[in-house]
Each structure stands twice: as structure tokens, then as C-alpha cells.
Amino acid sequence: VFDTVWVRILEPVNTPPVITPDYTGLTLNGDTIIVDANEQLCYDVTIDDPDIGDSLIAVGITPLFLNGDATFTQTGTNPITGTICWTPSCSNEGQLLPLVIQASDFSPCKSGTNVQSTIFVRVETPDNDPPQLSSDLSGNIFSDDTIFVFAEDPFCFNYTATDPNTGDALTFTPVSAIFSDPDGPTFTTVGTNPLTGQICWTPTCAFENQVVELIFQVEDQGQCTNVGIVFDTVFISVQTVPNDPPLITSDLSGVAVTNGDTIIIDALD
């Protein structure tokens, strides 16, 4: 006698992998990480599969990964542990960009499953503290921000600029049109942060009785589009050069007869 038992072999049930990102230390607003341009962001990711024996493959699939801007370093096969990092540039200011990773599991007899994890990144303009600019008028005759000088007399004063953002380089720029005059003031600069320099000028007689504004600015390179500019103004009051009149002295000694400032002579003498 015979008996037959039929065995239906079913495909094993596949449990999809689980992606668990860790955003500790990052600024989040819902499903969005908020980061400044030029500031690196990194977060850890763990991917595991409840089906022991399944091997996993994980990749970044959005353009930031594909063009090499964002990195996804990882170790292991199940679980996979990794770190995603990206430093947005100034060109990303104001953008909202996705970081998407995909994990796939593989095992004999089972169809693989793909799962994805998405986080958005909003890139903001970095804060920028403006530079600080001051002028030192000592060594001159001055009152508040005004130097008093005679025409044709040379003078100089110093200035100093610093920026609280230690990585910012500073640039000095003269603003007043008088700086472009061939007989106008000259300036020197030393360093970038701090930046020090000196402005010198010998006003000509054409500036007598005038008050001339020397306006100049210092600009920091800032962060991306956030540039800080500060101005300073020193007034130059050009005084008329003192002029003592000539002195004429007459010597009447040796003259026979005088009366005060009058010489008395006879006709035909």
C-alpha cells in the first residue's frame, strides 16, 4: 500500500530591516535638522534585521551622497553601524535638502526588502559679529573726533580694527573722495585680525578754513552672505597759517639833525 503526503514549501516570512538614526546634539524641528553653512553636521545610524542570518547593505541615495558632498561610513553586516556627515557650503544657504539612506536585506530563499530613512537639512546663514573700529588721535591737537591743523602742516593718526569672530579677515577701505585726490591722505594697513594702520595727510592752502571729513570703513569676510561693515569718521579742521607782517627798522644815527622820525636838512644839502 502507498500513502502520499504533499509538502508545500512556502517562502520564509521576511522581516524588513530597521534604521535607527541618532540625532543627539543636533538642532531639530520635526523631521528637519537646522544647521549653519560651513558648520559640519554628523549623526550616527544603526541598521539591524530581526531575521538573524540576513545580511544588510546600506547606501545613501540622494544627490548629496551621490556627488560626494555627504559621507556615510559604516561597519558590519547585521547590524550595520555608521556615521553620516555633511558640511554645507555657502552655496547651500537657504536650501532645504534631504539626506536619504536605504537599507536592503538579503538571505537564501527570501525576497529582499528595501527600507529608507529620510531627514531634511535646512541650511541657515551663520551669525556674524561685526568688527570694531577705533581711531587714536593722540599726538595731535584734537577735540572729540576733530583734529585741528594748519595748512601745509603734516599730521598722522592711527586706527585699530578687531573682529570677535577670530577666523574673519578684515579689509580697510577709504570712503571719502579726498582719499583719491593726488594731494589727499595716504593710509597704511598691517595684519588682518587685528588690523592696524595709519592715516597721514598734509592739507594744502586750498583747504584753509575748511573742515574735511575722513571717512573710512572696515569690512569682515564674515560667513557667506553675512558681511559686517563698520565706519569711522575723523574731521580735519584746517586753520589759516599764522602770518606775522614784515618789520621795517630805520637807523637815523649819523644824520645831523632829526626831529623824531623826521630828518631836517637845508635846501641844496
Side-chain angles (χ1 to χ4, degrees), residues 21-127:
D22 180 5
Y23 302 123
T24 302
L26 299 177
T27 302
L28 285 174
N29 183 4
D31 60 355
T32 301
I33 298 172
I34 301 171
V35 65
D36 287 341
N38 294 330
E39 177 185 339
Q40 185 184 53
L41 73 88
C42 291
Y43 62 91
D44 295 329
V45 176
T46 301
I47 307 170
D48 58 349
D49 195 303
D51 298 325
I52 298 174
D54 283 6
S55 59
L56 300 172
I57 294 178
V59 293
I61 62 172
T62 40
L64 288 176
F65 292 105
L66 299 178
N67 62 22
D69 291 337
T71 60
F72 181 19
T73 58
Q74 55 185 279
T75 58
T77 56
N78 188 9
I80 291 175
T81 57
T83 301
I84 293 173
C85 289
W86 179 44
T87 302
S89 67
C90 293
S91 63
N92 300 122
E93 274 186 306
Q95 296 181 353
L96 182 67
L97 301 170
L99 291 174
V100 182
I101 59 172
Q102 177 175 287
S104 305
D105 61 359
F106 297 91
S107 66
C109 304
K110 293 190 297 184
S111 299
T113 303
N114 299 325
V115 294
Q116 295 180 351
S117 174
T118 301
I119 189 74
F120 293 93
V121 180
R122 188 173 77 225
V123 183
E124 298 192 337
T125 302
D127 292 333

Side-chain angles (χ1 to χ4, degrees), residues 104-195:
S104 305
D105 61 359
F106 297 91
S107 66
C109 304
K110 293 190 297 184
S111 299
T113 303
N114 299 325
V115 294
Q116 295 180 351
S117 174
T118 301
I119 189 74
F120 293 93
V121 180
R122 188 173 77 225
V123 183
E124 298 192 337
T125 302
D127 292 333
N128 182 35
D129 296 316
Q132 299 169 348
L133 175 61
S134 61
S135 298
D136 179 8
L137 308 185
S138 61
N140 298 290
I141 300 174
F142 71 97
S143 176
D144 296 327
D145 55 2
T146 301
I147 294 176
F148 299 91
V149 63
F150 290 120
E152 304 297 339
D153 278 358
F155 71 91
C156 295
F157 66 90
N158 299 321
Y159 63 87
T160 301
T162 59
D163 196 297
N165 305 122
T166 55
D168 286 0
L170 301 176
T171 302
F172 174 91
T173 304
V175 177
S176 296
I178 187 65
F179 282 100
S180 59
D181 190 300
D183 295 323
T186 60
F187 64 90
T188 58
T189 61
V190 178
T192 56
N193 188 9
L195 181 147

